[in-house]
Amino acid sequence: MRQVVLLHGLCGSPAYFEELEPLLQADVYALTLPGHDEREAGPETMDEFADWVIEEIRLRGLERPVVLGHSFGGYIATNLVRRYGEELSGFGLIHSTAAADTDQAKEKRNQAMERVVEEGVNPFIDTMVPGVFAKDSEATLIERAKQIGYAMSKEGILSAQRAIRDRVDETKTVRDTLLPGLFIYGDKDPNMDEARAFIGAERHTRRSLPVSHMGMMEAPIEEAEFINAWLEEVSHGEV
C-alpha cells in the first residue's frame, strides 16, 4: 500500500487530519512539526523544516512516500520536491500555494509576530484561526482548531512565521517537476483565490470544493475521495 506523509498547517497538528486520515487508502504518517502541539521549536527556515521532515521520513524507513501538505505544510512539501524530489513519489498542496508571500503578506506576518511577542499565544490564535475559516463555517470546528492552536509555543509561532515569510517562490519547482502533484482548493478560502492556489499546477491534478482554508476538517469525505482517486492514478502511472 502506498505511503503518505501528512504535514499540517501553521498552529496546527495531526489533529487537523483526524477525520480525513482513516478515510485514506494508504499507510499514513501524520507528522507533528517542530514548535507545534507542545513540541520544542527548532527550524527557522523553510529549508530547515524540509530537512527535518526528510530526516523523519528516513528514520521511519519510508520508501519514496507521497507528501501531502496543508497550507504551511504545503510550503514544506514544495521545498522537498525541489531539494529531495528523488526521495518522493508524489506531492500534494492542500489549501496551499507554490507562490511566495507578497510584500503585503510579509508585512502582515511581521505585524503578527509583533503581536505574539507583545500579547502571547492565545490572543494570536483567537484572531488567526477564525480568519482561515469561512463566515458560514461551523463554530464547533473553529473552536476545535483554536484549542489545537493554544498548544503552540511563542517560539514555535515566531520560527514558523519567519520560515513562511522568507520562503522562496516554488512555482517553477511544481511546474517543472516530473513528480505527480495534487492541488486542492476551497473556493470559500478567505485568504486565497483559485489562481494563487493553482499557480504552476497546469499539468497536475486540480480539484475545488465549496469549503474554506480548512477543508480537511470541513469536508473530510470529499477530500479523501479526491486524494484516494489521485493515489490510484499515481499507482497506475496515469498522472
Side-chain angles (χ1 to χ4, degrees), residues 8 12-14 30-42 52 56 60 151-157:
H8 59 77
S13 81
L31 305 184
T32 302
L33 295 172
H36 293 68
D37 200 21
E38 300 184 340
R39 298 289 181 89
E40 183 178 352
W52 181 90
E56 290 295 308
R60 286 166 169 75
M152 290 293 295
S153 67
K154 183 184 294 187
E155 294 76 15
I157 294 175

Side-chain angles (χ1 to χ4, degrees), residues 4-7 17 24 66-70 91-92 94 182 227 230:
V4 170
V5 173
L6 297 178
L7 304 177
F17 304 114
L24 298 181
V66 167
V67 175
L68 304 178
H70 168 249
F91 71 99
I94 314 300
L182 172 66
I227 294 169
W230 176 75

Side-chain angles (χ1 to χ4, degrees), residues 1-197:
M1 185 175 288
R2 186 167 292 275
Q3 298 169 330
V4 170
V5 173
L6 297 178
L7 304 177
H8 59 77
L10 175 66
C11 298
S13 81
Y16 273 7
F17 304 114
E18 278 183 354
E19 303 298 327
L20 176 71
E21 183 175 343
L23 301 174
L24 298 181
Q25 297 168 2
D27 289 331
V28 181
Y29 302 82
L31 305 184
T32 302
L33 295 172
H36 293 68
D37 200 21
E38 300 184 340
R39 298 289 181 89
E40 183 178 352
E44 295 202 0
T45 68
M46 203 59 65
D47 279 1
E48 290 174 352
F49 273 102
D51 290 344
W52 181 90
V53 170
I54 204 68
E55 284 304 313
E56 290 295 308
I57 287 173
R58 291 167 179 168
L59 286 171
R60 286 166 169 75
L62 307 185
E63 296 185 8
R64 299 192 68 225
V66 167
V67 175
L68 304 178
H70 168 249
S71 195
F72 173 34
Y75 309 150
I76 298 172
T78 56
N79 186 293
L80 288 167
V81 169
R82 174 168 53 86
R83 298 173 59 237
Y84 298 105
E86 70 282 356
E87 297 190 50
L88 309 179
S89 62
F91 71 99
L93 300 191
I94 314 300
H95 309 291
S96 189
T97 180
D101 265 5
T102 63
D103 289 341
Q104 182 180 18
K106 289 178 180 180
E107 181 55 33
K108 285 184 177 180
R109 294 199 193 279
N110 289 334
Q111 293 171 2
M113 286 189 284
E114 290 176 4
R115 186 178 182 199
V116 170
V117 171
E118 294 172 359
E119 301 180 15
V121 172
N122 286 18
F124 171 76
I125 296 298
D126 287 339
T127 299
M128 189 207 84
V129 169
V132 298
F133 282 89
K135 292 182 179 179
D136 60 351
S137 296
E138 292 184 18
T140 54
L141 292 180
I142 297 174
E143 182 58 30
R144 183 179 170 197
K146 286 169 67 174
Q147 292 299 322
I148 293 168
Y150 292 149
M152 290 293 295
S153 67
K154 183 184 294 187
E155 294 76 15
I157 294 175
L158 296 175
S159 295
Q161 286 279 42
R162 291 189 195 101
I164 296 170
R165 180 195 63 192
D166 299 335
R167 74 188 189 278
V168 301
D169 192 292
E170 301 285 11
T171 303
K172 187 176 188 300
T173 298
V174 300
R175 183 170 284 137
D176 292 350
T177 183
L178 298 179
L179 293 172
L182 172 66
F183 291 66
I184 296 179
Y185 168 67
D187 60 21
K188 293 184 180 180
D189 192 321
N191 301 306
M192 189 186 307
D193 59 23
E194 186 176 278
R196 185 168 175 81

Side-chain angles (χ1 to χ4, degrees), residues 207-235:
R207 296 289 183 265
S208 297
L209 278 171
V211 295
S212 75
H213 193 68
M214 305 295 284
M216 64 283 167
M217 296 179 72
E218 294 178 311
I221 294 174
E222 292 85 349
E223 294 211 352
E225 288 175 350
F226 286 160
I227 294 169
N228 288 332
W230 176 75
L231 288 173
E232 184 68 18
E233 292 174 354
V234 169
S235 296

